[in-house]
Amino acid sequence: MFIENIEISGFRNLKKKNVFSFTNSKNIIYGPNGSGKTTILEAIYILGFGRSFLNVKKEELLNNESDEFFINSTVNRNQLKFKISASLNKSFSLFLDGEKTGIPGIGRNFFPLFFSSSDYVSLISSRSSLRKLFDRFIFGTENIYSKELIEYKKVIRNKTYLLKHNPDYAHLKGWNKLLAEYILKITRKRFDFIRKINDHVQDKHHSGIEIRYTPSSSDFYYSDNFKLDKVLSVLDGILEKEILYKSPIVGTHLDKYEIFMDNRPLRLYSSGEKKLNLIFIYLAYIDMFLSERGEYPVFLVDDYDIAMDEENTEVLMSNYPAMQIIATSVRNNKNFDSTIKLKH
Ligand SMILES: Nc1ncnc2c1ncn2[C@@H]1O[C@H](COP(=O)(O)OP(=O)(O)O)[C@@H](O)[C@H]1O
Ligand SMILES: [Mg+2]
C-alpha cells in the first residue's frame, strides 16, 4: 500500500489548501523548523487512526484562523485506488470512498506506521504508552482488534461506574460475564502478537531483545486452562475487593509490557541503545506485517536524521525496497528518491 497524495486545509499551519504528492518509494519532506514537516505526517496518521500521535485535542489541530479542517488522500493498494478523508467541522469524521467509516474500515486499506525520534525515551518506560503502541501494532495485523478494544472500554467504564455509585453484586456479575469474554479475546491476541514479534526480532535483528507481556492477573496465562470460566472465576473472586477499592483491579487496561535486552529492562540502557533497539522492534513489526498481510505499511519517520544513523539507513533502504517511506528532516538526504521542500 502507498499514499499517492494528500490535500490538507485548515489544519495547523496549513490554512489554505495544500497538496503534496508522494511516490511509492522513499520520500523526504525537508525544510526549516516550523515549516510544517511534522504536520504533514500528523495528517497522514490521522487518516489511519482518527487521532494524532501527539496528545492533543482535535480542536487544537484546527488552524488558528479556521473553523474546520479537511484532509483528503488517495491511497493505492494493489493497483486499486481508495479515497480516504478526515474532517473536523462540527464533529470529526473519517471517510472511505466518500462513505463515513470507522477505524477498522480504514485499517484494512491503509496503515501508517509512525516512528518518532523525539519521545522514545518516555515511550519505553511508560506502561500506558507501550500498551498503546502495541495495541496499534496488533490492530495493523488484525483490524477487528480495535473493535474489541472499544467494546472492552465501554464495559469497563460501566463496571467502574457501578463500583463507584451502585455496587450491586448481581449487576456487577452480569458485567463480569461480558468483561471475561473481551479479556479472553484481547489477552489471547496480545500473547499471540508478542510471540510473533519476538520471533521476528530475534530471528533477524537482535537475538537478545525480548518483549515480555504480563496480564493484570497471573491467572491469565496463555495455556490450555486459560478459558472463559477461568477468567470469570478470577473476576468474580475479586469482586469484593473491587467494591472496597471502588475500581476494577483486573483487566486488559492494566496489562503490562516491558522490553528487555539481554534480560535487563531496556529502560535502564542508554538513550542511544533505547532508540536502536526500538527501531529493531519496529523493523520486526514491519517483517511481521508483511508476513501476515503480504504487503507493507506506510512507514512515517519524523526527524529522520535524528532517528536513523548510517547503519540503520542501510538496513532500511536495502531490506525494504518495496515499502513506501515518508520521512522528514531539516535537510535533504541522498538516500531518498523523492523530495518535498518546505519553506517558512
Ligand atoms: N493550530 C495551529 N494553527 C496554526 N499554526 C500552528 C498550529 N499548530 C501548530 N502550528 C504551527 O505550525 C508550524 C509547523 O509545525 P511543525 O509541523 O511541527 O513544524 P516542523 O515539523 O517543520 O518543525 C509551527 O510553526 C507551529 O507553531
Ligand atoms: Mg517537526
Side-chain angles (χ1 to χ4, degrees), residues 208-244:
I209 301 176
E210 189 194 355
I211 304 170
R212 293 187 195 162
Y213 168 53
T214 322
S216 64
S217 162
S218 56
D219 291 309
F220 297 168
Y221 278 100
Y222 196 34
S223 64
D224 288 342
N225 69 1
F226 182 52
K227 302 238 167 71
L228 195 63
D229 48 356
K230 174 84 190 166
V231 180
L232 193 56
S233 79
V234 169
L235 288 179
D236 285 348
I238 53 157
L239 205 47
E240 215 165 307
K241 217 170 172 183
E242 290 185 322
I243 291 174
L244 203 67

Side-chain angles (χ1 to χ4, degrees), residues 10-14 31-40 42 54 59-65 302-303 328-330 342 344:
F11 185 81
R12 292 220 187 256
N13 64 328
L14 305 174
N33 285 322
S35 56
K37 305 181 291 292
T38 304
T39 296
I40 300 174
E42 197 178 23
L54 298 170
E59 290 67 30
E60 294 174 280
L61 297 169
L62 279 175
N63 176 269
N64 288 340
E65 296 163 18
D302 204 17
D303 288 322
T328 72
S329 179
V330 287
L342 300 179
H344 254 311

